[in-house]
Amino acid sequence: MIAERQRRAFRRDGFLALPEFASPAEVAELRAILGRLFSRRAGLAEGHLIDFVAPEIDFDRPHMLQLRYPCDHATELETLAVRARAHEMARQILGADAIFAFDHAIIKPPHDGSPTPWHQDIAFHDAWDRHLNLTFWIPLQDVGRDNGCLHYLPGSHRGRLEPHRPIGGDARIHGLEVPRLSSQGAVAVLLPAGGLSIHESRTLHYAGPNRSAAPRWSYALAFKRRRRDWLHRWRFGPLLRDPLAGLIRAD
Ligand code: NI
């Protein structure tokens, strides 16, 4: 499903965008399943439902709701064809031993949905278990600059792990950010509903605020290699090659 030239582009840029991935019926089904989970506040007790950019959720005025591990709360997500297709594409990029890692869903509310600051997904991994993975990001409506499309820095996956901190330096906040980053050369990825954007765990990315009148929904699936990736750990482990890189804790 992924052509050799697309694989080359992915290796060069650290991301790949495809305009067609999920059908309108599949988008509607994902929205229905996730909508039920958000409306019953699934995952709240487990700490899986959070406001990504705030210390706690204000349900009257959320900034950016994230449900981590929705498939733990709605097992029908495990058997969707969307997931099987993403898994097959992950095998084509990572190798035959690619396995599902986790999923998450995000709703940015209308008018003032928060931006997602620049970050590398690998900064969210435990420092002793940094590994290469792939995120398959599916917008559940059209996404453009007005409602929070993704932006990437091409080639950044070949660079180092940038120093991250909790957003705004507030240690109570789950979301991480690279506080000082030149985003020169960043590419905005505009996609229709059901499109797909794939990125590597080191690729620097950002998502804009949602200024539109409708909520911005997304569903993401992550895959990783089953085998232990010693080379990657060597490069991105906490104590070895980049002793000063990695997380900056809040003051
Ligand atoms: Ni990310």
Side-chain angles (χ1 to χ4, degrees):
M1 275 186 289
I2 294 185
E4 180 50 33
R5 97 187 134 70
Q6 292 172 314
R7 262 199 294 268
R8 273 201 304 274
F10 183 81
R11 281 198 292 269
R12 181 190 66 220
D13 298 332
F15 71 93
L16 181 68
L18 303 170
E20 282 181 31
F21 178 69
S23 70
E26 289 173 325
V27 169
E29 187 175 15
L30 277 170
R31 284 188 72 124
I33 295 169
L34 297 173
R36 284 195 292 274
L37 293 179
F38 278 106
S39 63
R40 70 176 171 85
R41 299 182 181 176
L44 189 62
E46 297 86 347
H48 295 168
L49 179 62
I50 59 168
D51 192 318
F52 189 81
V53 302
E56 50 197 54
I57 302 183
D58 177 350
F59 283 103
D60 295 327
R61 204 176 153 73
H63 306 281
M64 175 176 164
L65 290 176
Q66 183 184 43
L67 174 58
R68 297 185 286 155
Y69 319 113
C71 70
D72 286 359
H73 302 279
T75 51
E76 59 266 41
L77 288 167
E78 295 174 7
T79 52
L80 293 183
V82 164
R83 174 152 154 182
R85 291 203 303 279
H87 197 161
E88 179 52 33
M89 293 166 83
R91 286 190 195 98
Q92 291 175 16
I93 296 173
L94 287 178
D97 62 348
I99 54 170
F100 174 79
F102 63 91
D103 60 349
H104 70 78
I106 285 174
I107 297 180
K108 291 193 176 190
H111 304 300
D112 56 357
S114 172
T116 313
W118 285 100
H119 67 277
Q120 293 163 298
D121 291 344
I122 196 171
F124 286 87
H125 298 179
D126 292 329
W128 48 269
D129 189 29
R130 293 206 172 107
H131 53 269
L132 187 143
N133 71 14
L134 302 179
T135 295
F136 287 67
W137 189 86
I138 306 163
L140 303 181
Q141 70 291 296
D142 298 355
V143 281
R145 291 174 190 278
D146 64 324
N147 70 341
C149 70
L150 292 187
H151 299 240
Y152 291 115
L153 268 182
S156 54
H157 64 304
R158 293 193 301 265
R160 65 168 191 161
L161 171 58
E162 295 290 335
H164 286 68
R165 67 173 190 179
I167 293 170
D170 185 336
R172 298 169 301 164
I173 294 177
H174 173 75
L176 298 173
E177 64 179 2
V178 179
R180 288 170 295 279
L181 181 85
S182 165
S183 55
Q184 210 179 0
V187 174
V189 177
L190 283 55
L191 283 173
L196 173 67
S197 179
I198 310 171
H199 61 260
E200 214 234 63
S201 44
R202 295 169 297 173
T203 310
L204 276 157
H205 57 286
Y206 159 89
N210 180 16
R211 298 195 191 93
S212 76
R216 195 223 69 180
W217 294 49
S218 60
Y219 180 58
L221 296 151
F223 298 88
K224 64 180 182 179
R225 289 188 176 125
R226 186 192 301 274
R227 67 179 178 271
R228 293 178 179 226
D229 193 341
W230 293 111
L231 178 65
H232 201 70
R233 286 188 188 200
W234 178 75
R235 283 198 67 193
F236 292 97
L239 300 171
L240 297 169
R241 179 164 159 169
D242 277 327
L244 300 179
L247 295 181
I248 307 172
R249 300 318 309 180
D251 302 328

